[in-house]
Amino acid sequence: MSPPLGGRKAFVRTFGCQMNLNDSEHILGVLLEAGAAAADRPEAADIVVVNTCAVRRKSEEKLYSYLGRLARLKKRRPFVLGVAGCVAQVRQAGLLDRRPAIDFVVGPDGYRELPELVLRAAESPVVRTGHSPDWREIGPEATARANPWSAFVPVMEGCDNYCAYCIVPFSRGPEKCRPAGRVLAEVRAAAEAGALEVQLLGQNVDSYRDPGSGLGFAGLLEAVAAVPGPAWVRFITSHPKNFGDDIIRAMAAHPSVCRALHLPLQSGSTAVLARMNRGYTREAYLELVARLRDSLPGLLLSTDVIVGFPGETEDDFEATLGVLREARFAGIFSFRFSPRPLTAAAALPDDVPLEVKRRRLVELQGLQKTIQAELNRSFVGRELTVLATGPSPRGAGRCQGRTEGNLVVNFDAPAGLAGRFVTVRVTGAGPYSLHGAMIPG
Ligand code: SAM
Ligand code: SF4
Ligand code: F3S
């Protein structure tokens, strides 16, 4: 019997976070398993899936403008058009009314059924949304990895925290955890396929509990770190309120666990944190940072910050700048508050004027730039292990890579270097990257 999608070509475009990058590897993997071949652009595809992000209004708008392009393309050259991911789950059938070019809408729990959805959608539009309480297992056999040397491994999905601004609990549904045995099986498979780096993924990895044994995240991390092969193990995202000392000890005990941690702050004001429903205070966050720095010398921290949350005063904003000065993050993702449907904050007056939000964002990013420039300069003269990721956008003949602490390094090296550890002597540093030369070895 010929496979259901034999002879067709599939293209997947991704918006959003690492979770979505990994989901797109599943989406493509499931389609390839059903006999499709991969296309490198929508113009060459019979099936186009857009994997979407709903976290801010801008993320959703990007989708609509991309769909406009695809609708024009579809008039010239027919294909099956699917919308997957967080906007699909939140907007559901409403997307079909908004953009009639769409043939199917599929939420994150429907990816296993994609071959069937594609075939049905060729007849009439299909909507497959909703959350299942069970883990949707899509194993390594149906994961089309973008980079075999850096493997995403999902450990949990969904969120029960309901931060007041955040749409994710609605788009990803309630928290559910992947059985530890399956996580470890995927890590072993990735190691056998040559992964140098494993990235454990989830909206709140530190609230992980194995559904069978009750093993927590610290235990899972230790078990993953014990798998021979991958030299670097990372995880994202951690919630400050769940980050226990057992996880710090697990990190300290295993040199393969990278000395890098993404720890979203959101605001440095305890009053704003309370209104955001974050579950920690400014002091608790800074104490956690101090404990981490004590136990993990050389740790590089990164964070997320929102400016202009409803009711944020100048003093609140100053408190956020104060945490940046004290915590000295190596990187931040910063955003202006954007009211999202279904969230608690959407009912609050969006009372910080746009120009104030803009000014605060510029100020925050300016301060962070200074901190990063100083921090990065401290690496000049050192030799660092770098995972080469491909050509550098900063000029021909140069490569780019990342350090254990997730710093970007541009360096002189033979072209085509990717998926290898190299040693780089750092000769200079700017606020956003280091540069240097590879030491042949
Ligand atoms: N689970 C993670 C956490 O606990 O922080 C990440 C959540 S979200 C996918 C990534 C970041 O987007 C958040 O940390 C937050 O800074 C930002 N974000 C979420 N909702 C937002 C909104 N409505 N407006 C602006 N930024 C938002
Ligand atoms: Fe969103 Fe908060 Fe959950 Fe993170 S912890 S996904 S910010 S609700
Ligand atoms: Fe966006 Fe969904 Fe990730 S809303 S940030 S793609 S979990």
Side-chain angles (χ1 to χ4, degrees), residues 42 45-48 70-71 73-75 77-81 101 103:
D46 308 293
I47 306 162
V48 174
L70 291 179
L73 179 62
K74 207 177 162 188
K75 279 197 189 133
R77 195 186 161 280
F79 52 84
V80 176
L81 173 57
D103 298 300

Side-chain angles (χ1 to χ4, degrees), residues 65 95-96 145 148 183 188 194 296 329 383 393 395 403:
S65 76
L95 273 175
L96 298 176
R145 291 208 191 283
V183 173
R188 281 187 211 106
L296 300 162
F329 299 107
E383 286 179 14
T403 66

Side-chain angles (χ1 to χ4, degrees), residues 13 41 51 64 68 88 98 122 130 138 151 167 170 181 186 200 206 208 213 234 334 336 361 377 401 422 438:
R13 168 71 199 261
R41 59 207 149 91
N51 192 11
Y64 297 126
R98 261 172 123 138
I138 298 182
I167 202 168
F170 306 96
E186 181 159 8
L200 305 179
D206 47 351
Y208 176 86
S213 67
R234 306 177 184 280
S334 50
R336 293 194 305 258
L361 193 66
R377 270 200 300 276
V422 295
M438 182 177 142

Side-chain angles (χ1 to χ4, degrees), residues 242-377:
N242 301 325
F243 209 89
D245 286 345
D246 55 343
I247 306 176
I248 301 180
R249 283 194 295 273
M251 290 178 79
H254 293 274
S256 64
V257 179
C258 292
R259 297 305 187 243
L261 184 65
H262 188 67
L263 198 63
L265 167 69
Q266 312 301 0
S267 169
S269 151
T270 296
V272 174
L273 287 169
R275 285 206 303 284
M276 287 177 163
N277 191 30
R278 285 293 286 175
Y280 54 88
T281 60
R282 166 201 178 85
E283 290 72 28
Y285 186 94
L286 287 171
E287 274 163 28
L288 175 57
V289 168
R291 286 206 303 285
L292 283 161
R293 295 225 184 277
D294 269 358
S295 305
L296 300 162
L299 177 76
L300 292 185
L301 288 168
S302 57
T303 201
D304 294 346
V305 173
I306 297 175
V307 299
F309 186 78
E312 185 189 67
T313 62
E314 284 304 316
D315 284 351
D316 292 324
F317 175 63
E318 278 302 321
T320 302
L321 297 181
V323 175
L324 259 56
R325 286 189 196 98
E326 198 166 332
R328 297 186 66 78
F329 299 107
I332 65 169
F333 297 94
S334 50
F335 314 100
R336 293 194 305 258
F337 169 69
S338 159
R340 301 306 291 138
L342 306 170
T343 63
L348 301 174
D350 187 12
D351 56 1
V352 179
L354 183 60
E355 64 272 19
V356 176
K357 285 183 185 166
R358 283 198 178 126
R359 194 247 304 143
R360 287 183 187 165
L361 193 66
V362 168
E363 205 176 317
L364 181 97
Q365 291 174 343
L367 169 63
Q368 181 59 24
K369 188 175 171 186
T370 310
I371 294 170
Q372 279 175 212
E374 280 169 18
L375 191 96
N376 287 352
R377 270 200 300 276

